[in-house]
Amino acid sequence: MKFKKLTSLLVAFVISLSFVACGKVDSESKTDDKNKTDQAVPYDENDKDKDDKNDKDDKDQIEIHKKYDEKKDKAAKKEFVVYSYDVDDDELVANIYRTDKLTPQIIFDKLKELGVVTKNAKMNSFDISEADGVDTGFLDVNKDFLNPKLGSSAEGLMLDAVAQSFIGNLPVDQIQLSVDEGIYESGHIVLDAGDFLKPTNKSINNSVDKNDNEDVEADEN
């Protein structure tokens, strides 16, 4: 019986030592983890300067690529000229634009924006065919194209601006203008069938260049 009691006490003592050892190891492990966590990372101002410089370099590169893409896009666009007029100097004024694809409707819309024709004017159609062996643009407009407020000189310049805008950009040498498929007739000028608008002999002011601030999107017409 004494032997059994001694054996039991010995086993209990060994188990107690095991718990104490495990507790000590676990405590040391937690202490090491805490020490690692509490260690401060040294702050280096040079790192911030490097980050700022890298950010600036990235922004500079983005800006360079942006400018390059803009120049490439502009170079790919087609330039075209739409004419307005100056009554005081009795001359046409060239206004330069860019577009991916030039159409007669774009030209007409620009004439409206420039105030060459009335804001309610509409282009009914524009066709190209030969007339007397000459490549001719047949431009048909609505009645709101007629502007009773224009004097004879201003109306002549208006018609020159319209004709020159189409002749200068499209493969035609003259324009036949009609109103709702009838003749063009105002208080000053009558244009019947066969009365063609030809390249103007008016002086042209080429000072208005809109290349840098206005591009035009092509429509589907």
PDB file of all heavy atoms in Angstrom, residues 154-176:
ATOM      1  N   ALA A 154     -25.156  92.614 -98.460  1.00  0.00           N
ATOM      2  CA  ALA A 154     -25.049  91.569 -97.451  1.00  0.00           C
ATOM      3  C   ALA A 154     -25.565  90.236 -97.988  1.00  0.00           C
ATOM      4  O   ALA A 154     -24.981  89.174 -97.719  1.00  0.00           O
ATOM      5  CB  ALA A 154     -25.820  91.959 -96.198  1.00  0.00           C
ATOM      6  N   GLU A 155     -26.626  90.275 -98.774  1.00  0.00           N
ATOM      7  CA  GLU A 155     -27.167  89.035 -99.329  1.00  0.00           C
ATOM      8  C   GLU A 155     -26.197  88.415-100.327  1.00  0.00           C
ATOM      9  O   GLU A 155     -26.030  87.185-100.364  1.00  0.00           O
ATOM     10  CB  GLU A 155     -28.512  89.292-100.016  1.00  0.00           C
ATOM     11  CG  GLU A 155     -29.174  88.015-100.505  1.00  0.00           C
ATOM     12  CD  GLU A 155     -30.550  88.258-101.110  1.00  0.00           C
ATOM     13  OE1 GLU A 155     -30.953  89.435-101.226  1.00  0.00           O
ATOM     14  OE2 GLU A 155     -31.210  87.265-101.469  1.00  0.00           O
ATOM     15  N   GLY A 156     -25.548  89.261-101.125  1.00  0.00           N
ATOM     16  CA  GLY A 156     -24.553  88.750-102.058  1.00  0.00           C
ATOM     17  C   GLY A 156     -23.404  88.074-101.330  1.00  0.00           C
ATOM     18  O   GLY A 156     -22.929  87.003-101.731  1.00  0.00           O
ATOM     19  N   LEU A 157     -22.945  88.701-100.234  1.00  0.00           N
ATOM     20  CA  LEU A 157     -21.883  88.102 -99.437  1.00  0.00           C
ATOM     21  C   LEU A 157     -22.347  86.805 -98.778  1.00  0.00           C
ATOM     22  O   LEU A 157     -21.585  85.827 -98.687  1.00  0.00           O
ATOM     23  CB  LEU A 157     -21.430  89.088 -98.350  1.00  0.00           C
ATOM     24  CG  LEU A 157     -20.517  90.230 -98.792  1.00  0.00           C
ATOM     25  CD1 LEU A 157     -20.405  91.273 -97.685  1.00  0.00           C
ATOM     26  CD2 LEU A 157     -19.135  89.706 -99.165  1.00  0.00           C
ATOM     27  N   MET A 158     -23.580  86.776 -98.326  1.00  0.00           N
ATOM     28  CA  MET A 158     -24.121  85.564 -97.706  1.00  0.00           C
ATOM     29  C   MET A 158     -24.104  84.403 -98.702  1.00  0.00           C
ATOM     30  O   MET A 158     -23.659  83.291 -98.380  1.00  0.00           O
ATOM     31  CB  MET A 158     -25.542  85.816 -97.209  1.00  0.00           C
ATOM     32  CG  MET A 158     -26.201  84.617 -96.534  1.00  0.00           C
ATOM     33  SD  MET A 158     -27.069  83.503 -97.680  1.00  0.00           S
ATOM     34  CE  MET A 158     -28.499  84.507 -98.111  1.00  0.00           C
ATOM     35  N   LEU A 159     -24.570  84.666 -99.916  1.00  0.00           N
ATOM     36  CA  LEU A 159     -24.603  83.610-100.930  1.00  0.00           C
ATOM     37  C   LEU A 159     -23.187  83.171-101.310  1.00  0.00           C
ATOM     38  O   LEU A 159     -22.929  81.980-101.529  1.00  0.00           O
ATOM     39  CB  LEU A 159     -25.362  84.084-102.167  1.00  0.00           C
ATOM     40  CG  LEU A 159     -26.865  84.310-101.972  1.00  0.00           C
ATOM     41  CD1 LEU A 159     -27.490  84.921-103.234  1.00  0.00           C
ATOM     42  CD2 LEU A 159     -27.579  83.002-101.604  1.00  0.00           C
ATOM     43  N   ASP A 160     -22.263  84.130-101.378  1.00  0.00           N
ATOM     44  CA  ASP A 160     -20.867  83.782-101.653  1.00  0.00           C
ATOM     45  C   ASP A 160     -20.297  82.902-100.547  1.00  0.00           C
ATOM     46  O   ASP A 160     -19.579  81.932-100.814  1.00  0.00           O
ATOM     47  CB  ASP A 160     -20.012  85.051-101.776  1.00  0.00           C
ATOM     48  CG  ASP A 160     -20.144  85.709-103.145  1.00  0.00           C
ATOM     49  OD1 ASP A 160     -20.558  85.012-104.094  1.00  0.00           O
ATOM     50  OD2 ASP A 160     -19.832  86.907-103.259  1.00  0.00           O
ATOM     51  N   ALA A 161     -20.609  83.236 -99.298  1.00  0.00           N
ATOM     52  CA  ALA A 161     -20.102  82.462 -98.164  1.00  0.00           C
ATOM     53  C   ALA A 161     -20.641  81.037 -98.202  1.00  0.00           C
ATOM     54  O   ALA A 161     -19.903  80.065 -97.948  1.00  0.00           O
ATOM     55  CB  ALA A 161     -20.473  83.137 -96.849  1.00  0.00           C
ATOM     56  N   VAL A 162     -21.929  80.891 -98.503  1.00  0.00           N
ATOM     57  CA  VAL A 162     -22.540  79.561 -98.593  1.00  0.00           C
ATOM     58  C   VAL A 162     -21.892  78.756 -99.713  1.00  0.00           C
ATOM     59  O   VAL A 162     -21.460  77.611 -99.517  1.00  0.00           O
ATOM     60  CB  VAL A 162     -24.064  79.672 -98.817  1.00  0.00           C
ATOM     61  CG1 VAL A 162     -24.649  78.299 -99.124  1.00  0.00           C
ATOM     62  CG2 VAL A 162     -24.738  80.275 -97.587  1.00  0.00           C
ATOM     63  N   ALA A 163     -21.813  79.349-100.893  1.00  0.00           N
ATOM     64  CA  ALA A 163     -21.264  78.638-102.046  1.00  0.00           C
ATOM     65  C   ALA A 163     -19.814  78.255-101.825  1.00  0.00           C
ATOM     66  O   ALA A 163     -19.396  77.116-102.084  1.00  0.00           O
ATOM     67  CB  ALA A 163     -21.395  79.504-103.302  1.00  0.00           C
ATOM     68  N   GLN A 164     -19.020  79.216-101.330  1.00  0.00           N
ATOM     69  CA  GLN A 164     -17.597  78.949-101.133  1.00  0.00           C
ATOM     70  C   GLN A 164     -17.369  77.881-100.083  1.00  0.00           C
ATOM     71  O   GLN A 164     -16.422  77.092-100.174  1.00  0.00           O
ATOM     72  CB  GLN A 164     -16.883  80.241-100.722  1.00  0.00           C
ATOM     73  CG  GLN A 164     -15.370  80.150-100.737  1.00  0.00           C
ATOM     74  CD  GLN A 164     -14.809  79.922-102.126  1.00  0.00           C
ATOM     75  OE1 GLN A 164     -15.398  80.349-103.116  1.00  0.00           O
ATOM     76  NE2 GLN A 164     -13.694  79.219-102.202  1.00  0.00           N
ATOM     77  N   SER A 165     -18.230  77.811 -99.069  1.00  0.00           N
ATOM     78  CA  SER A 165     -18.090  76.793 -98.022  1.00  0.00           C
ATOM     79  C   SER A 165     -18.263  75.384 -98.580  1.00  0.00           C
ATOM     80  O   SER A 165     -17.563  74.453 -98.169  1.00  0.00           O
ATOM     81  CB  SER A 165     -19.106  77.047 -96.892  1.00  0.00           C
ATOM     82  OG  SER A 165     -18.835  78.267 -96.234  1.00  0.00           O
ATOM     83  N   PHE A 166     -19.190  75.230 -99.527  1.00  0.00           N
ATOM     84  CA  PHE A 166     -19.399  73.914-100.141  1.00  0.00           C
ATOM     85  C   PHE A 166     -18.362  73.630-101.225  1.00  0.00           C
ATOM     86  O   PHE A 166     -17.811  72.520-101.294  1.00  0.00           O
ATOM     87  CB  PHE A 166     -20.819  73.820-100.717  1.00  0.00           C
ATOM     88  CG  PHE A 166     -21.881  73.636 -99.667  1.00  0.00           C
ATOM     89  CD1 PHE A 166     -22.634  74.707 -99.219  1.00  0.00           C
ATOM     90  CD2 PHE A 166     -22.131  72.388 -99.116  1.00  0.00           C
ATOM     91  CE1 PHE A 166     -23.603  74.547 -98.244  1.00  0.00           C
ATOM     92  CE2 PHE A 166     -23.098  72.204 -98.140  1.00  0.00           C
ATOM     93  CZ  PHE A 166     -23.832  73.296 -97.696  1.00  0.00           C
ATOM     94  N   ILE A 167     -18.079  74.620-102.060  1.00  0.00           N
ATOM     95  CA  ILE A 167     -17.119  74.423-103.148  1.00  0.00           C
ATOM     96  C   ILE A 167     -15.721  74.146-102.595  1.00  0.00           C
ATOM     97  O   ILE A 167     -14.970  73.333-103.146  1.00  0.00           O
ATOM     98  CB  ILE A 167     -17.105  75.661-104.075  1.00  0.00           C
ATOM     99  CG1 ILE A 167     -18.437  75.783-104.817  1.00  0.00           C
ATOM    100  CG2 ILE A 167     -15.952  75.581-105.074  1.00  0.00           C
ATOM    101  CD1 ILE A 167     -18.602  77.080-105.589  1.00  0.00           C
ATOM    102  N   GLY A 168     -15.359  74.821-101.511  1.00  0.00           N
ATOM    103  CA  GLY A 168     -14.012  74.658-100.961  1.00  0.00           C
ATOM    104  C   GLY A 168     -13.775  73.341-100.259  1.00  0.00           C
ATOM    105  O   GLY A 168     -12.620  72.950-100.048  1.00  0.00           O
ATOM    106  N   ASN A 169     -14.846  72.624 -99.892  1.00  0.00           N
ATOM    107  CA  ASN A 169     -14.692  71.396 -99.103  1.00  0.00           C
ATOM    108  C   ASN A 169     -15.162  70.135 -99.800  1.00  0.00           C
ATOM    109  O   ASN A 169     -14.791  69.030 -99.390  1.00  0.00           O
ATOM    110  CB  ASN A 169     -15.464  71.539 -97.783  1.00  0.00           C
ATOM    111  CG  ASN A 169     -14.872  72.607 -96.875  1.00  0.00           C
ATOM    112  OD1 ASN A 169     -13.740  72.498 -96.419  1.00  0.00           O
ATOM    113  ND2 ASN A 169     -15.643  73.659 -96.615  1.00  0.00           N
ATOM    114  N   LEU A 170     -15.967  70.275-100.817  1.00  0.00           N
ATOM    115  CA  LEU A 170     -16.542  69.118-101.497  1.00  0.00           C
ATOM    116  C   LEU A 170     -16.113  69.116-102.974  1.00  0.00           C
ATOM    117  O   LEU A 170     -15.744  70.166-103.520  1.00  0.00           O
ATOM    118  CB  LEU A 170     -18.067  69.152-101.379  1.00  0.00           C
ATOM    119  CG  LEU A 170     -18.607  69.134 -99.936  1.00  0.00           C
ATOM    120  CD1 LEU A 170     -20.136  69.288 -99.938  1.00  0.00           C
ATOM    121  CD2 LEU A 170     -18.207  67.865 -99.206  1.00  0.00           C
ATOM    122  N   PRO A 171     -16.172  67.974-103.643  1.00  0.00           N
ATOM    123  CA  PRO A 171     -15.703  67.880-105.033  1.00  0.00           C
ATOM    124  C   PRO A 171     -16.700  68.476-106.034  1.00  0.00           C
ATOM    125  O   PRO A 171     -17.216  67.791-106.927  1.00  0.00           O
ATOM    126  CB  PRO A 171     -15.524  66.373-105.232  1.00  0.00           C
ATOM    127  CG  PRO A 171     -16.554  65.760-104.334  1.00  0.00           C
ATOM    128  CD  PRO A 171     -16.591  66.645-103.115  1.00  0.00           C
ATOM    129  N   VAL A 172     -16.980  69.754-105.870  1.00  0.00           N
ATOM    130  CA  VAL A 172     -17.878  70.467-106.795  1.00  0.00           C
ATOM    131  C   VAL A 172     -17.231  71.787-107.193  1.00  0.00           C
ATOM    132  O   VAL A 172     -16.419  72.338-106.457  1.00  0.00           O
ATOM    133  CB  VAL A 172     -19.259  70.730-106.151  1.00  0.00           C
ATOM    134  CG1 VAL A 172     -19.964  69.422-105.828  1.00  0.00           C
ATOM    135  CG2 VAL A 172     -19.125  71.583-104.891  1.00  0.00           C
ATOM    136  N   ASP A 173     -17.604  72.288-108.380  1.00  0.00           N
ATOM    137  CA  ASP A 173     -17.049  73.539-108.896  1.00  0.00           C
ATOM    138  C   ASP A 173     -18.078  74.661-108.929  1.00  0.00           C
ATOM    139  O   ASP A 173     -17.724  75.821-109.202  1.00  0.00           O
ATOM    140  CB  ASP A 173     -16.488  73.325-110.308  1.00  0.00           C
ATOM    141  CG  ASP A 173     -15.352  72.308-110.313  1.00  0.00           C
ATOM    142  OD1 ASP A 173     -14.438  72.448-109.466  1.00  0.00           O
ATOM    143  OD2 ASP A 173     -15.384  71.367-111.128  1.00  0.00           O
ATOM    144  N   GLN A 174     -19.327  74.332-108.658  1.00  0.00           N
ATOM    145  CA  GLN A 174     -20.375  75.339-108.631  1.00  0.00           C
ATOM    146  C   GLN A 174     -21.566  74.808-107.845  1.00  0.00           C
ATOM    147  O   GLN A 174     -21.666  73.602-107.592  1.00  0.00           O
ATOM    148  CB  GLN A 174     -20.806  75.727-110.051  1.00  0.00           C
ATOM    149  CG  GLN A 174     -21.326  74.565-110.882  1.00  0.00           C
ATOM    150  CD  GLN A 174     -21.584  74.923-112.331  1.00  0.00           C
ATOM    151  OE1 GLN A 174     -21.114  75.951-112.822  1.00  0.00           O
ATOM    152  NE2 GLN A 174     -22.323  74.083-113.046  1.00  0.00           N
ATOM    153  N   ILE A 175     -22.443  75.718-107.447  1.00  0.00           N
ATOM    154  CA  ILE A 175     -23.612  75.357-106.636  1.00  0.00           C
ATOM    155  C   ILE A 175     -24.886  75.843-107.312  1.00  0.00           C
ATOM    156  O   ILE A 175     -24.985  76.998-107.751  1.00  0.00           O
ATOM    157  CB  ILE A 175     -23.529  75.985-105.221  1.00  0.00           C
ATOM    158  CG1 ILE A 175     -22.312  75.463-104.458  1.00  0.00           C
ATOM    159  CG2 ILE A 175     -24.815  75.716-104.436  1.00  0.00           C
ATOM    160  CD1 ILE A 175     -22.355  74.000-104.106  1.00  0.00           C
ATOM    161  N   GLN A 176     -25.861  74.947-107.407  1.00  0.00           N
ATOM    162  CA  GLN A 176     -27.202  75.326-107.826  1.00  0.00           C
ATOM    163  C   GLN A 176     -28.063  75.377-106.568  1.00  0.00           C
ATOM    164  O   GLN A 176     -28.296  74.360-105.913  1.00  0.00           O
ATOM    165  CB  GLN A 176     -27.783  74.304-108.802  1.00  0.00           C
ATOM    166  CG  GLN A 176     -29.239  74.552-109.181  1.00  0.00           C
ATOM    167  CD  GLN A 176     -29.407  75.765-110.085  1.00  0.00           C
ATOM    168  OE1 GLN A 176     -29.096  75.728-111.263  1.00  0.00           O
ATOM    169  NE2 GLN A 176     -29.919  76.857-109.538  1.00  0.00           N
TER     170      GLN A 176
END
